[in-house]
Amino acid sequence: CPNGTSFDFSDLVALSQADTTGNLLVDELNRRMLHSTMSQAMKTSIVGALASYAGTTALTHESRVRQALYLVATSSQFQVQR
C-alpha cells in the first residue's frame, strides 16, 4: 500500500487514448477546470504541446494527461477562474 497522495487519471487517459489529437482531453479539462471558458488560442497551444508526445503506450498517454493538467492549472485563465 503506497503512502502519500495519488491521483486516478484513468478517465483522462482513456480520452487521450480515444483521440490522439488531444482535442477530447483538452475539451474535458476545459469543462472541468475552466467551466468551458478556455480561449481558442489556449486550446490550440495545449493541443500543439501534446502533439510532441508520440507513442501509444499507457505511459505516453499518462504523460500527456499530466502535461495537459499542468498547462491548464498553471495558465493565467485558470488562476483567474479559481
Side-chain angles (χ1 to χ4, degrees), residues 5-46:
T5 303
S6 64
F7 297 96
D8 179 7
F9 297 130
S10 58
D11 60 329
L12 297 174
V13 169
L15 288 176
S16 178
Q17 291 170 329
D19 174 25
T20 57
T21 67
N23 283 298
L24 284 177
L25 173 61
V26 175
D27 287 344
E28 182 62 15
L29 294 178
N30 179 24
R31 187 185 67 75
R32 289 186 192 186
M33 298 175 72
L34 297 173
H35 307 288
S36 300
T37 62
M38 182 183 293
S39 70
Q40 186 61 44
M42 181 175 163
K43 179 179 178 179
T44 300
S45 179
I46 293 173

